[in-house]
Amino acid sequence: MKKLLILFVFFVSLAASAQTLKKFKLIDSATKEVIPFANILFSKTDFKGTSSDIDGVFYIPSHLKTITISYVGYETRVVNVAQLRSELIELTSKVSRLDEVFIDSENPAHRIIKNVVSNKALNNPENLNSFTYISYDKIYVDMDDTKPQSDTLKTTQSAFKDSYLFITETIAKHKYLKPRFTEDSIIATRTSGFKNPNFALLANSLQPFSFYKEHLNWFEINYLNPISKGSTKKYKFRLKEEFIKNNDTIFVISFEPKANRNFDGLEGLLYINSNKYALESVDARTVNSGKVEFKLQQKYSYIDGNYWFPEQLNFEIVIGEGFGSFKYIGKSYLSEIKPNASLSKKDFPLVSLTLSKNVGNKNSKYWDEYRKGILDKKELRTYVFIDSIGDKVNLDKVLALPQKLQKGRFPLKYIDIDLLNIFRANKHEDTRLGLGVYTNDNILKNISFGAFAGYGIKDKEWKYGGSIAFDVPGKKDISIALDYKNTIREVGTFSGNEIENPFNPRNWIAREMDAVESISFRTDMKLLRNINWFIGFNTAEIKPLYDYTFNQNNISITNYNNTEVNIGISYHVNEKLINNFGIITRLPSNAPILNLMYSRGLNGALDGDFNYNKLKFTLDDSFIIKGIGETTYKLDLGYIDSTLPFGLLFTGEGTFDKKLPFIVENYFQTVKPYEFLSDRYAHLFTTHNFGRLFNNKGYFQPDVLLHNNIGIGSLKAASDHQFIDFSTKEELFLETGLELQNILKIPYLNIGYLGLGFGAFYRYGYHHLNNSNDNLALKLSFGFSFR
């Protein structure tokens, strides 16, 4: 009886608690879209109140008789709660009056923005020593019915009228330890049409975690943050509204880029809380961003009476213009937030995104614990409709496609087609047509064997080879490969690498080749955070396919054998790896990348003819200069301690070819391919992108790039190399270029533009040529952009 009484009291208390708050949702009276961040005032005397969340939802005490609702751009409404017959409350938009005109020094919004900027370090959640939280993420894809659609898409839209095109939900545990240790552990995931749990997307991974960075990067475009240092000189700010909520003042400030700007900017509303001048919420969208529009909304809460932390994160990406636009909408809700959690480096795996066991087998009760509300009819219909399609066409097979394409292969049932061996172009072969096939996991798990063959149209020679590869199961991402190749290799390449990328214009002008028959062994592994290793062994018979003789100790050598051991180390600063479609993928980053490669030649080992030590070091990095643009640079160093044949030295750093005048990054543009020969060198390639200097509107919007490339090198015993022409860089080589990217833009698949650009480069200084016209290189550039 006592237990029954306790149970009765519990349910009565639960029911009473449920009746203490009433739930409502704000929407636009015309568009029916939700209205986030509106101010709801309970009383005009004590300023008690709340605000609508990102979904327009808010709660009020049940005893209230009236509430006052206000939002920028809408008529203020006093609501009699007793007269409401629905949870939906509509607000009517109003025609905005002209903003007051302020002299910058007198603009009250500027004082508030400057306080926000000065408190960024204090309020930025990523400056906490550590934190953990759980997120519920939902992403769905729909057609953008606000824009005209083609007849085909109208038919598709009709078929999906009661559902979205796609929906996925994810529950994840997140950990962070300053400065860069993160883990997103997926504990539940569900995706329409797919049964494979590897398809896990996090909504907060597609937008900035917080709104405090100097620049916000979307689709490789850096947007200047309106709360960055000195932003009052770049943005127009207006104090639209201020109100008191509880004991704090909320400042509502609009922002937009100033006229004649030369930066990529945002527009929207900032809600600033006088408590530490922190962001309470943000509603921002990109300005003039081409075929991809990005909108984000973020809501922050005050945690533990000490920290401002994101609570809700939404984004909307609209891709395409005119006849065929799609919306990608993501919602992320954070809970169980723990600032300064007890964490150490040992608590973080090498891969940032991990999947727990049974992530795809959670029941509805488990999902209901984390969902923000229940799924609506359209969302439920999407699962039913798309799942039925997935069962019929087996959409899970699609998961294998991006994994294979990343490796340059197309999967069939038992074999993969090597796409990189179908077609290749260079000046020695003209065109090479071929085929490569390799077994996949449907024959042997984690083991692949196969072969390739190709025929050069110009040299009329076959190239062929075979390999066996083994992926070691586990978290260290270890692979082992044994290869045999009878092929060609461009001179100057490092440690057995031949042409790999058929789409790189530099490979199209390759001419000087060695015929190479080789056997090689290589293992790649990831044993430490941020570091990738490889160890290899290679032995080869090499025959120059050009007129050449190497004089070694007064002995003329044409063909030779080479045996070497190779070690390579790559260090990625701020590396973030994710498990994407079942494979380990490195997320793009502007952080530095360092590569060190060492090769040891072994005289006498398997008939090897040379002893040597060869080193190559590269550093790739970029940084943003606010208001000026982005600088990228590559430092490239090489060293060999012995005299070696032409094919094993350093050359090929030039890209000047009148018949194929293309700009190739991190190469000299005014240098012929094999103009210089070195056994030690230092190169520095720099590019500064000023952005769209001319204007930010209209069709003519080229990016302006300034290139500066320098190099120096030397060569011992230059007379040992006979019957070839070359120079050395004993003195500093200098060239400068100006490039206009995307002068001509061609719409591509309604998602972006294929761009055609133009550049002019000039060499000067010690290596200036006698004929001035020979120092000038006019080149074309190709690219892809979303705007």
Side-chain angles (χ1 to χ4, degrees), residues 401-566:
L401 188 58
Q403 175 184 358
K404 298 294 185 178
L405 290 178
Q406 182 175 320
K407 296 180 179 180
R409 296 185 180 182
F410 185 84
L412 299 177
K413 186 172 183 179
Y414 296 111
I415 62 171
D416 296 337
I417 303 298
D418 187 354
L419 300 176
L420 297 180
N421 270 305
I422 293 177
F423 171 84
R424 293 187 180 184
N426 57 73
K427 291 206 165 185
H428 179 82
E429 298 174 290
D430 193 344
T431 300
R432 184 203 298 185
L433 301 177
L435 182 67
V437 293
Y438 297 87
T439 63
N440 55 38
D441 287 348
N442 290 331
I443 292 182
L444 288 174
K445 188 73 172 178
N446 298 320
I447 298 177
S448 175
F449 56 89
F452 75 91
Y455 183 77
I457 302 300
K458 184 178 179 180
D459 66 349
K460 296 180 173 55
E461 294 288 344
W462 282 95
K463 292 84 184 174
Y464 51 88
S467 69
I468 300 174
F470 175 61
D471 291 326
V472 179
K475 298 181 179 181
K476 298 300 183 181
D477 198 22
I478 300 174
S479 63
I480 300 171
L482 179 65
D483 291 279
Y484 166 79
K485 293 179 181 179
N486 193 324
T487 184
I488 60 173
R489 181 184 70 200
E490 185 183 10
V491 298
T493 52
F494 187 78
S495 301
N497 295 326
E498 74 279 357
I499 300 172
E500 287 293 344
N501 185 358
F503 304 106
N504 187 341
R506 174 58 186 82
N507 294 328
W508 304 343
I509 64 174
R511 183 183 68 251
E512 304 296 356
M513 301 287 186
D514 289 330
V516 177
E517 184 176 13
S518 66
I519 297 175
S520 63
F521 168 86
R522 173 166 168 152
T523 177
D524 293 80
M525 65 200 79
K526 186 171 187 61
L527 302 180
L528 299 171
R529 189 181 304 278
N530 301 92
I531 296 178
N532 286 65
W533 301 71
F534 80 80
I535 299 174
F537 176 83
N538 180 71
T539 182
E541 296 180 6
I542 301 172
K543 176 184 178 181
L545 299 177
Y546 42 88
D547 191 12
Y548 172 71
T549 298
F550 176 58
N551 187 4
Q552 184 184 47
N553 299 325
N554 296 320
I555 300 175
S556 295
I557 298 174
T558 301
N559 302 338
Y560 55 91
N561 294 333
N562 186 51
T563 302
E564 61 185 11
V565 175
N566 310 309

Side-chain angles (χ1 to χ4, degrees), residues 7 69 186 191 324 426 448 490 499 519 569 596 616 693 702 709:
L7 191 62
I69 305 174
I186 308 297
T191 303
N426 57 73
S448 175
E490 185 183 10
I499 300 172
I519 297 175
I569 302 174
L596 177 63
K616 185 176 175 67
L693 285 181
N709 304 324

Side-chain angles (χ1 to χ4, degrees), residues 77-143:
R77 181 177 174 183
V78 178
V79 178
N80 188 325
V81 178
Q83 294 179 354
L84 294 174
R85 296 294 179 264
S86 168
E87 288 186 350
L88 297 178
I89 300 176
E90 296 184 350
L91 296 186
T92 304
S93 61
K94 63 181 179 181
V95 179
S96 300
R97 61 182 177 84
L98 293 175
D99 286 321
E100 298 179 74
V101 178
F102 296 101
I103 301 172
D104 281 353
S105 61
E106 299 174 352
N107 187 340
H110 284 189
R111 175 187 61 83
I112 300 167
I113 292 298
K114 289 177 181 177
N115 282 332
V116 174
V117 173
S118 63
N119 282 276
K120 280 174 61 176
L122 175 66
N123 294 316
N124 186 352
E126 291 177 299
N127 284 338
L128 291 170
N129 183 61
S130 63
F131 57 74
T132 63
Y133 64 87
I134 292 180
S135 74
Y136 164 73
D137 296 81
K138 177 168 61 179
I139 298 176
Y140 57 89
V141 181
D142 201 7
M143 291 186 179

Side-chain angles (χ1 to χ4, degrees), residues 670-672 675-676 733-736 761-765 767-769 774-776:
T670 62
V671 174
K672 294 179 181 179
E675 182 176 341
F676 294 109
F733 176 87
L734 301 167
E735 72 175 16
T736 294
F761 296 82
Y762 194 78
R763 63 193 283 176
Y764 53 94
H767 295 281
H768 181 275
L769 301 176
D774 293 337
N775 297 290
L776 180 65

Side-chain angles (χ1 to χ4, degrees), residues 189-337:
T189 185
R190 183 185 181 190
T191 303
S192 59
F194 294 91
K195 297 177 181 179
N196 191 327
N198 281 329
F199 197 107
L201 293 175
L202 294 175
N204 61 16
S205 67
L206 298 176
Q207 66 167 310
F209 174 70
S210 75
F211 201 76
Y212 282 97
K213 295 181 179 180
E214 287 289 291
H215 290 83
L216 305 170
N217 184 279
W218 294 303
F219 294 94
E220 300 182 355
I221 300 174
N222 293 304
Y223 293 90
L224 182 65
N225 196 324
I227 58 170
S228 60
K229 187 176 181 180
S231 61
T232 54
K233 297 179 181 179
K234 299 285 187 178
Y235 279 93
K236 288 195 300 184
F237 294 99
R238 292 291 181 265
L239 180 58
K240 308 292 288 188
E241 186 180 356
E242 63 178 280
F243 53 86
I244 297 175
K245 186 171 71 175
N246 300 325
N247 297 321
D248 302 317
T249 301
I250 310 300
F251 304 100
V252 183
I253 297 176
S254 68
F255 62 92
E256 62 179 291
K258 287 186 176 181
N260 300 318
R261 60 187 174 86
N262 64 343
F263 66 95
D264 292 297
L266 307 169
E267 63 180 8
L269 294 173
L270 300 172
Y271 293 74
I272 311 300
N273 194 303
S274 61
N275 180 4
K276 300 183 180 180
Y277 282 91
L279 292 174
E280 186 170 283
S281 56
V282 179
D283 193 341
R285 66 195 63 83
T286 57
V287 178
N288 192 30
S289 54
K291 290 186 178 291
V292 177
E293 301 173 6
F294 198 102
K295 177 181 178 180
L296 71 81
Q297 297 171 324
Q298 297 189 343
K299 188 178 188 305
Y300 295 75
S301 59
Y302 200 47
I303 304 295
D304 296 343
N306 214 0
Y307 310 103
W308 286 97
F309 203 88
E311 183 180 43
Q312 296 179 356
L313 306 170
N314 286 5
F315 74 84
E316 179 178 313
I317 304 174
V318 179
I319 297 181
E321 290 181 324
F323 298 98
S325 300
F326 296 89
K327 294 190 297 185
Y328 297 77
I329 299 172
K331 299 177 179 289
S332 183
Y333 303 90
L334 280 58
S335 62
E336 301 182 30
I337 301 168

Side-chain angles (χ1 to χ4, degrees), residues 712-763:
I712 194 168
S714 63
L715 177 67
K716 298 189 300 290
S719 61
D720 289 347
H721 307 280
Q722 300 175 6
F723 307 116
I724 59 170
D725 294 325
F726 62 88
S727 301
T728 59
K729 296 193 296 288
E730 306 290 346
E731 302 292 337
L732 199 64
F733 176 87
L734 301 167
E735 72 175 16
T736 294
L738 184 66
E739 178 187 357
L740 299 180
Q741 283 187 346
N742 301 320
I743 296 176
L744 176 63
K745 297 192 298 184
I746 303 172
Y748 179 73
L749 296 179
N750 202 34
I751 61 173
Y753 300 92
L754 297 176
L756 175 65
F758 174 81
F761 296 82
Y762 194 78
R763 63 193 283 176

